[in-house]
Amino acid sequence: MFPAAEGVAPAVTAVFTTVLTEGPISRVALARRLGLSSAAVTKAARPLIEAGYLEELAATERTGPGAGRPASPLAIRADREFFVGVKITGDELIGVVCDLRAQVRASAHRRLDAADVDHVLTQLGELVGDLLDGPGDYRARTRWLGLAVSGDVDHSTGLVRYSPFLRWHDVALAERAEKTTGLTVTVENDVKALTTAEQWFGEGVGADSFALVTVGAGIGCGLVVNGRIVSGAHGVAGEIGHISFDVNGPDCHCGSRGCVEAVAGADAIVSQARAVSGRPSLTFSDAVSLARSGDAAVGAVFARAGTAIGAGIAAVANLVGPARIVVSGEGLSAYDLFEPHIRASFQRQAFGAAAECPLSIRPLPFEEWARGAAAVSIKALVAS
Ligand SMILES: [Zn+2]
């Protein structure tokens, strides 16, 4: 069991979280970092070491005068426990097994013939079985399953209120998946799950505030402010895909028009590329190939999409002022076509010092979504 004895639980959680996200780290550095006494850190670390979650590395040499006795840094034992993460899309399940540091140890996926809840749960049960009972023998040390779903998700109850790609309304997903798999299940919105992975194990580590912008079928945004993921009073926050980019632009599925997503979402790019090329069956990768081979009209579609994304990102910088912004997503497999336009548009629209916010622009392997789901479970373990 994860130790959380009464009275010491907050310090245990703080020590574990800091070693997990910033370790290996010495007790002295931990005490300084957390504002705790050395004795309190030692007391909090003991049950974590006894339960096998932390280990003491070999003492390092003293560095410099007055450094005191050699420090033995504390480190995570990454294979103490494993976590399954699954991203559920409208036509596929993507699953991974992660260790405690959210490193992917195994992955598998299954195509979905239908998106009704019963069918998805049956496939989910089989996928989890494949992952845990295959090579690696993860079953014995796995108790948690994280699920990531796009749409309106209540993380605290595990209820999927509405998921447009799955056409689900009010599905008690955590409860049903627990019955199917026997694991403790967390459910989170997919963009928030990715943001969690970035906050704990990626570029967000140590940043008080940052934003993660995802580019793909939709344009999403996860926001961390003062170290916490922003959910918004109505469960909607950071919807930069539905910021108006061009009031005379194309209709958006949300009912508005000219939204960033209506210009830069994958479907929007395909339909604009079909229109300008006169090829009605063009796919997204056809459009990428045409643009890369110098087709000016299709190239302009990607340029406009990049400009819209840059404007959305500038809105985040102007409103929230995050320390850094990560732009990622499967749509960025074509990021050579987007990147200069995202950066130019961002620089143009970010106000004053907001333009100094560093942008990391990189493609995102689809498995990262599943890893995000596992990261939510890791966070839930730590909070439990
Ligand atoms: Zn919209």
Side-chain angles (χ1 to χ4, degrees), residues 84-98:
V84 181
V86 177
K87 155 94 167 171
I88 305 174
T89 75
D91 56 12
E92 197 177 17
L93 299 177
I94 299 109
V96 295
V97 177
C98 287

Side-chain angles (χ1 to χ4, degrees), residues 16 20-21 52-53 55 76-85 95-107 131-132 136 138 141-144 146 197 200-201 370-379 381-382:
F16 187 67
L20 182 62
T21 57
Y53 284 93
E55 64 185 348
I76 291 290
R77 278 188 59 205
D79 59 0
R80 169 63 178 79
E81 186 159 353
F82 297 106
F83 301 79
V84 181
V96 295
V97 177
C98 287
D99 64 24
L100 254 173
R101 277 208 212 92
Q103 298 296 313
V104 173
R105 299 292 192 99
S107 64
L131 284 165
L132 293 185
Y138 298 110
R141 276 178 284 167
T142 304
R143 295 179 292 145
W144 291 82
W200 278 49
F201 305 104
R371 177 174 173 260
V376 173
S377 273
I378 296 171
K379 195 174 172 184
L381 164 80
V382 175

Side-chain angles (χ1 to χ4, degrees), residues 1 3 7 31-32 35 40 63 76 91 102 104 148 161 190 202 237 334 376:
M1 281 306 288
R32 205 180 308 127
T63 52
I76 291 290
D91 56 12
V104 173
R161 288 200 202 91
D190 54 357
V376 173

Side-chain angles (χ1 to χ4, degrees), residues 7 26 46 50 92 100-101 108 128 133 171 251 294 320 349 366:
S26 72
R46 191 176 303 129
E50 281 165 5
E92 197 177 17
L100 254 173
R101 277 208 212 92
V128 170
D133 301 325
V171 174
D251 288 338
V320 181
Q349 301 218 17
F366 218 75

Side-chain angles (χ1 to χ4, degrees), residues 241-242 252 254 256 259:
H242 301 284
C252 182
C254 75
S256 184
C259 298

